[in-house]
């Protein structure tokens, strides 16, 4: 915003930035990243938005958006990486007992599934993969709250398929793509900001740090899961 720009210029550095993203991206990436910031880093505030609204928010005072869709070329942008689709199950599910870390689509469709509605980018990626594989869903329940999906999966009510990090006890496996060998299904995140922003260098540096944090946190998540640390506090704190 104009006020934020004036404050930053007078102080000689960027004091505050606003990032817009989907609720899942804020909870799974931006909020944990904020816990790692130094005292001299800008104050990061967040705004929730649906993917379709993120692009236009760059024209209304938002400093940066983290989007699960490709950004237009008139914005500066950086690919952060892919957030894998995770199939969540209860601790007594056969996949958990076998410590299975990946599942094929053919295995997934034989289970009762808990998934987002078709407005979700994660659901769209899953639907596309199913179509490419020539598969059809069996029993399916839709819910747009990822934490509810995970809770139901933890309670043994089905296999929850979401991109969000674990929030309850249980087990999860990444979903293999049947179209590309040794690749996992997921949602690619992109950071974008206006070329004319008053502090493009700061935003570019922030995007790079978000990318590096995303890689590191995914590695830690998989390592701690294999070590039996399923509690969300054990997975995400502390990062610094």
């Amino acid at each position: 915003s104009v006020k934020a720009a004036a404050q930053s210029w007078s102080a000689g550095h960027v004091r505050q930035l606003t990032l817009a993203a989907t609720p899942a991206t804020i909870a799974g990436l931006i909020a944990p990243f904020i816990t790692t910031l130094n005292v001299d880093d800008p104050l990061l505030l967040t705004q929730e938005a649906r993917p379709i609204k993120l692009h236009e928010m760059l024209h209304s005072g938002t400093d940066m958006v983290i989007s699960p869709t490709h950004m237009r070329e008139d914005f500066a942008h950086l690919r952060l990486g892919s957030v894998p689709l995770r199939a969540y199950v209860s601790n007594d599910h056969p996949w958990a007992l076998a410590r299975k870390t990946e599942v094929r689509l053919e295995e997934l469709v034989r289970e009762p599934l808990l998934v987002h509605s078709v407005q979700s980018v994660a659901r769209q990626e899953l639907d596309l993969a199913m179509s490419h594989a020539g598969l059809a869903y069996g029993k399916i329940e839709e819910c747009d709250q990822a934490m509810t999906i995970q809770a139901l999966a933890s309670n043994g009510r089905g296999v929850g398929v979401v991109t969000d990090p674990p929030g309850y006890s249980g087990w999860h496996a990444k979903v293999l793509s049947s179209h590309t060998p040794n690749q996992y299904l997921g949602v690619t995140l992109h950071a974008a900001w206006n070329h004319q922003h008053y502090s493009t260098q700061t935003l570019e540096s922030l995007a790079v740090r978000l990318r590096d944090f995303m890689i590191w946190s995914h590695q830690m998540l998989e390592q701690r899961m294999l070590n039996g640390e399923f509690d969300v506090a054990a997975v995400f704190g502390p990062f610094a």
Side-chain angles (χ1 to χ4, degrees):
S1 67
V2 174
K3 182 179 179 181
Q7 291 174 338
S8 297
W9 280 117
S10 64
H13 66 278
V14 179
R15 296 176 55 189
Q16 179 176 307
L17 293 170
T18 300
L19 278 62
T22 65
T25 300
I26 292 173
L29 174 62
I30 300 175
F33 172 75
I34 288 173
T35 70
T36 72
L37 297 180
N38 300 317
V39 66
D40 293 331
D41 287 324
L43 175 70
L44 298 187
L45 301 177
T46 58
Q47 295 178 326
E48 292 186 358
R50 294 174 56 193
I52 196 172
K53 295 291 186 181
L54 288 171
H55 288 199
E56 64 188 60
M57 293 183 74
L58 287 174
H59 295 297
S60 59
T62 300
D63 298 298
M64 175 183 283
V65 301
I66 310 298
S67 174
T69 59
H70 291 291
M71 305 305 296
R72 299 203 311 257
E73 290 301 322
D74 54 337
F75 294 127
H77 57 90
L78 178 71
R79 182 184 183 277
L80 300 182
S82 179
V83 183
L85 273 175
R86 300 180 174 100
Y88 286 89
V89 296
S90 61
N91 282 322
D92 59 357
H93 190 278
W95 296 350
L97 298 175
R99 299 179 68 83
K100 196 175 181 66
T101 59
E102 55 187 36
V103 294
R104 294 177 292 106
L105 286 172
E106 291 81 2
E107 297 174 283
L108 201 62
V109 296
R110 292 197 289 266
E111 301 282 337
L113 298 182
L114 306 161
V115 296
H116 288 303
S117 66
V118 293
Q119 285 77 27
S120 162
V121 175
R123 170 65 184 278
Q124 292 166 17
E125 291 292 333
L126 181 61
D127 287 353
L128 186 62
M130 291 279 289
S131 177
H132 284 164
L135 297 172
Y137 293 113
K139 184 178 180 182
I140 187 172
E141 297 290 348
E142 293 184 351
C143 176
D144 279 323
Q145 286 71 48
M147 293 301 287
T148 301
I149 289 177
Q150 287 193 41
L152 289 168
S154 178
N155 191 242
R157 302 303 182 95
V159 176
V161 185
V162 294
T163 57
D164 298 62
Y168 301 102
S169 64
W171 183 262
H172 73 262
K174 289 184 284 190
V175 181
L176 281 165
S177 168
S178 60
H179 187 65
T180 307
N182 302 317
Q183 293 289 321
Y184 300 108
L185 297 182
V187 174
T188 300
L189 296 181
H190 307 264
W193 58 97
N194 198 310
H195 283 291
Q196 305 303 318
H197 193 277
Y198 62 88
S199 189
T200 56
Q201 288 185 334
T202 298
L203 291 172
E204 182 176 0
S205 174
L206 173 61
V208 170
R209 288 173 65 181
L210 275 165
R211 180 192 63 191
D212 294 345
F213 175 80
M214 183 172 163
I215 295 170
W216 178 84
S217 61
H218 285 174
Q219 291 172 342
M220 290 297 296
L221 174 62
E222 298 307 316
Q223 179 181 334
R224 292 182 176 183
M225 185 194 74
L226 291 174
N227 289 340
E229 299 177 26
F230 301 113
D231 186 87
V232 67
V235 173
F236 282 123
F239 280 111

